[in-house]
């Protein structure tokens, strides 16, 4: 299996839904939601890519970082890489339906576990989406994290209970799904959460609680104050609100505000191990990857997902060698060279 073969196989199965572009930057699929694109003009999708591209890496080769260690402990799990599979659902209307929901999320969970990391599952208007994720997590011995849409409180709590029963090490809510078009298509009520509502959800479970979809310092602090164990800095892949900044633009300020109080995950535009290194240097503790794993699953099944995750991890290790980072804890702003006027 190689990357080009994987892409060609995926292109056939995703025909009409994802073009599997040589450069996955959101230009060809702008406005295709449902689908794989970004909402509206696609500016938010593109912003994720552009924000990462603005940073350069400082090449360093006079050091002893010859065999970098990419291991970490996250939510009580020992992982071999800081790269996690992002939650993705809606195979039929976003990806064309060549796979069933259960097949797809099973490939994500199994491929992630085999690559030494975690997968996340999602939620949606069809109950099958969340159910399939829980089944896949249970099948992998609880090695996965379900993420729930910002539904009515009791509906979320009921799904949290089921996540606990499935043996998940953590559970989350993607609050940035508050205006999701695809949920509206199913007549499912979702919306923003108040600080009190967030506290209620955090208190409703013994599991570490993750708040996905944080893009401002004030909301990062609110999530930390509410007792969240982790946040995901994310604009939902550019699929919710047009003209948002990219995750890499807002991550540094958020990390300065809440680093050490919560685990910081970042999600948006990751296409290489160098991108992973940049987000870690900007303050993330681990990184989510989404669209490349769709290519992996549709192009090569479980092995394809494992291949993509291991490919990204290999690229990360190579980038760590060439920036002088022997372990993940060595990765900081020293590896970055932003354009003039940028902050980190």
């Amino acid at each position: 299996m190689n990357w080009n073969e994987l892409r060609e196989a995926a292109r056939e199965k995703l025909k009409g839904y994802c073009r599997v572009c040589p450069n996955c930057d959101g230009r060809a699929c702008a406005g295709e939601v449902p689908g794989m694109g970004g909402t509206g003009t696609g500016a938010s999708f593109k912003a994720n890519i552009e924000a990462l591209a603005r940073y350069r890496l400082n090449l360093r080769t006079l050091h002893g970082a010859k065999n970098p260690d990419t291991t970490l402990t996250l939510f009580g799990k020992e992982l071999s890489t800081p790269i996690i599979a992002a939650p993705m659902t809606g195979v039929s209307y976003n990806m064309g339906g060549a796979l069933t929901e259960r097949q797809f999320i099973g490939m994500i969970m199994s491929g992630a576990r085999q690559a030494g990391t975690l997968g996340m599952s999602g939620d949606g208007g069809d109950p099958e989406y969340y159910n399939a994720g829980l089944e896949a997590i249970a099948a992998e011995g609880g090695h996965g994290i379900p993420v729930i849409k910002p539904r009515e409180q009791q509906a979320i709590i009921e799904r949290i209970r089921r996540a606990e029963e499935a043996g998940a090490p953590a559970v989350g809510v993607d609050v940035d799904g508050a205006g999701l078009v695809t949920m509206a298509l199913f007549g499912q009520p979702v919306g923003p959460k108040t600080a009190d509502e967030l506290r209620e959800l955090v208190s409703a479970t013994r599991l570490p609680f993750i708040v996905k979809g944080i893009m401002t310092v004030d909301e990062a602090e609110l999530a930390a104050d509410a007792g969240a164990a982790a946040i995901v800095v994310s604009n939902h892949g550019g699929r919710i609100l047009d003209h948002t900044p990219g995750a890499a633009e807002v991550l540094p300020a958020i990390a300065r505000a809440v680093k050490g109080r919560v685990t910081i995950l970042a999600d948006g535009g990751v296409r290489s191990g160098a991108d992973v290194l940049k987000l870690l240097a900007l303050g993330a503790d681990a990184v989510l990857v989404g669209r490349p794993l769709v290519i992996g699953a549709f192009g090569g099944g479980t092995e394809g997902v494992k291949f993509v995750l291991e490919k990204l991890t290999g690229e990360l290790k190579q980038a760590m060698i060439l920036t002088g980072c022997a372990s993940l804890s060595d990765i900081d702003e020293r590896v970055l060279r932003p354009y003039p006027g940028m902050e980190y």
Side-chain angles (χ1 to χ4, degrees):
M1 183 179 295
N2 64 53
W3 181 233
N4 288 334
E5 290 172 350
L6 206 62
R7 292 178 69 252
E8 287 305 313
R11 183 179 286 111
E12 283 301 310
K13 289 186 178 179
L14 289 163
K15 192 170 290 183
Y17 289 82
C18 177
R19 295 156 186 81
V20 192
C21 298
N23 184 22
C24 177
D25 59 8
R27 296 180 188 279
C29 55
E32 295 180 5
V33 180
M36 294 294 291
T39 192
T41 66
S44 297
F45 183 156
K46 297 170 197 171
N48 280 329
I49 306 294
E50 293 163 356
L52 280 166
R54 290 190 188 107
Y55 288 94
R56 300 293 190 247
L57 297 174
N58 289 321
L59 175 66
R60 288 188 170 93
T61 54
L62 300 178
H63 55 73
K66 299 180 181 183
N67 185 27
D69 180 8
T70 60
T71 62
L72 74 160
T73 301
L74 193 65
F75 308 123
K77 296 286 189 182
E78 299 292 329
L79 307 182
S80 63
T81 176
I83 306 169
I84 299 165
M88 296 173 284
T89 57
V91 174
S92 60
Y93 55 79
N94 287 323
M95 308 172 201
L99 298 173
T100 67
E101 199 74 29
R102 180 63 179 87
Q103 287 172 330
F104 173 73
I105 197 59
M107 292 168 181
I108 295 292
M109 290 297 171
S110 184
R113 182 184 57 77
Q114 291 179 34
T117 189
L118 287 167
M120 289 184 168
S121 63
D123 184 18
D126 186 335
E128 171 59 18
Y129 301 161
Y130 190 69
N131 294 344
L134 290 185
E135 288 175 9
I137 289 169
E140 298 300 325
H143 208 82
I145 299 171
V147 178
I148 304 162
K149 289 286 175 276
R151 303 168 175 275
E152 182 272 329
Q153 292 291 91
Q154 285 308 123
I156 294 175
I157 291 171
E158 182 271 334
R159 285 166 175 79
I160 289 174
R161 294 287 170 266
R162 294 174 58 204
E164 294 169 343
E165 292 168 3
V171 67
V173 170
D174 54 341
V175 292
D176 52 348
L180 197 61
V181 171
T182 49
M183 288 296 289
L185 293 176
F186 283 90
Q188 299 280 335
V190 291
K193 293 297 177 185
T194 66
D196 286 342
E197 287 172 328
L198 187 55
R199 288 190 193 95
E200 180 185 16
L201 296 175
V202 171
S203 299
T205 181
R206 57 179 172 74
L207 296 177
F209 190 88
I210 305 166
V211 183
K212 182 178 180 292
I214 298 296
M215 288 291 287
T216 62
V217 169
D218 62 308
E219 293 209 334
E221 292 175 333
L222 189 154
D225 291 343
I231 60 171
V232 183
V233 178
S234 172
N235 68 6
H236 210 95
R239 296 170 60 78
I240 295 293
L241 176 65
D242 209 357
H243 305 295
T244 69
E249 289 181 64
V250 301
L251 177 57
I254 289 172
R256 285 195 296 270
V258 298
K259 187 81 169 179
R261 296 180 62 196
V262 296
T263 296
I264 300 173
L265 310 179
D267 165 47
V270 173
R271 301 292 181 266
S272 69
D275 289 337
V276 174
L277 182 71
K278 291 178 184 181
L279 288 174
L280 295 175
L282 291 169
D285 297 301
V287 171
L288 275 57
V289 61
R291 288 177 176 93
L293 294 183
V294 173
I295 307 304
F298 276 77
T302 296
E303 283 299 313
V305 172
K306 179 174 179 279
F307 175 88
V308 172
L309 289 166
E310 290 181 342
K311 175 178 180 290
L312 292 171
T313 300
E315 292 168 354
L316 170 62
K317 288 182 178 180
Q318 183 72 359
M320 289 172 68
I321 290 171
L322 294 173
T323 53
C325 300
S327 68
L328 298 181
S329 62
D330 290 336
I331 301 172
D332 59 24
E333 68 276 1
R334 295 181 312 108
V335 311
L336 297 176
R337 183 176 180 84
Y339 283 133
M342 289 188 68
E343 64 169 353
Y344 60 82

